[in-house]
Amino acid sequence: MNVQWFPGHMTRAKREMQEKLKMVDMIIECRDARIPLSSENPLLLDLAKDKPRLIVLSKQDMADPIATKAWMHHLTSENTKVITVDLLEKSSRTKVIDAALEVMKPKFDRWKARGIGARKIKAMVVGIPNVGKSTLINQLAQKKIMTTANRPGVTMALKWANVHPKLDLLDTPGVLWPKFDDAKVGIRLALAGSVSEKVLPIDELAYYAFKFVLKHYPEALEERYQYSGDDVQAFFEHLAKLRLYVRKDELLLEQAYQTFLREVRQGTLGAMSFEYVENVD
Ligand code: G4P
């Protein structure tokens, strides 16, 4: 994934998002439970401040449950409900639909009072890349309905999917760009796979990931790699030897960096979160 956001591209994506937002009653915002803050997009708040919102923290199976609980509390507000899901589980469908109906209940009640009882909710899924938007849409529709390019700024014909007697969903998500203004955010996005690792020097990213895991989940290093020290250089040399990343007498450290980053990103070391409410600036 090549994340290069050009101003023209951004303007187009923003305009497209504004058009779509006009058509919906509520938004279902997908964020990665491991990085609930870094995977938000500030523009969305700007464009859709008053829309009822359901934040779906996806990949709960890969996130630290204690951190996730704190995030749920932190992100909940008057017109925003937060739930966590494993979108690979079929049961996530009912959880999301029930929560969406709950978010819309005040509006439903108002419609009813005005005699507009039969109106269905129109919703759209939004979020930055790789947070599970397509998985969520297909899960809600109970089939693969993603038909057009899942990229920002790509104009497409919109179709509605009837996912529940009271809920219609746009068949394509609103794709937002990640935040890039803060280096820490960029690192977290790369750790979770929402931007390519290539946006950062791989050794720096791997070093950061090691220090992070050492600080928060040291037992994972011991269990997965039988490493109990705290020396970053020594760790990657150990990993290169362990996985036989050796050519002649030379250790292929770059392969060790890639392996470690992939395993952290895929949750191979166990469930972990990459940011915590306590550290919100
Ligand atoms: P997007 O449309 O927002 O870009 O995300 P998409 O649905 O394509 O999901 C990105 C990846 O994350 C997919 O894996 C998908 O299966 C996985 N995923 C989504 N939600 C969950 C979840 O709740 N739990 C887990 N464990 N995985 C989830 P993929 O196709 O293998 O892609 P990748 O991992 O190779 O990027």
Side-chain angles (χ1 to χ4, degrees), residues 31 68 85 144 182 191 197 210 229 232 248 257 267 277:
R31 297 195 200 174
T68 303
V85 287
K144 222 169 169 187
D182 176 343
L191 291 181
E197 296 167 0
F210 170 79
V232 61
K248 296 193 178 144
Y257 299 151
V277 171

Side-chain angles (χ1 to χ4, degrees), residues 30 32 34 57-62 85-89 92 125-138 146 150 173 175 192-194 265-266:
C30 229
D32 188 321
R34 296 169 297 171
L57 296 179
S58 63
K59 310 193 185 186
Q60 73 165 17
D61 51 309
M62 298 166 93
V85 287
D86 171 358
L87 288 172
L88 306 186
E89 292 277 338
S92 61
V125 173
V126 299
I128 68 166
N130 207 42
V131 290
K133 298 178 299 301
S134 319
T135 313
L136 172 57
I137 290 177
N138 291 334
M146 289 281 310
N150 178 10
V175 186
S194 270
R265 187 176 61 245
Q266 292 178 341

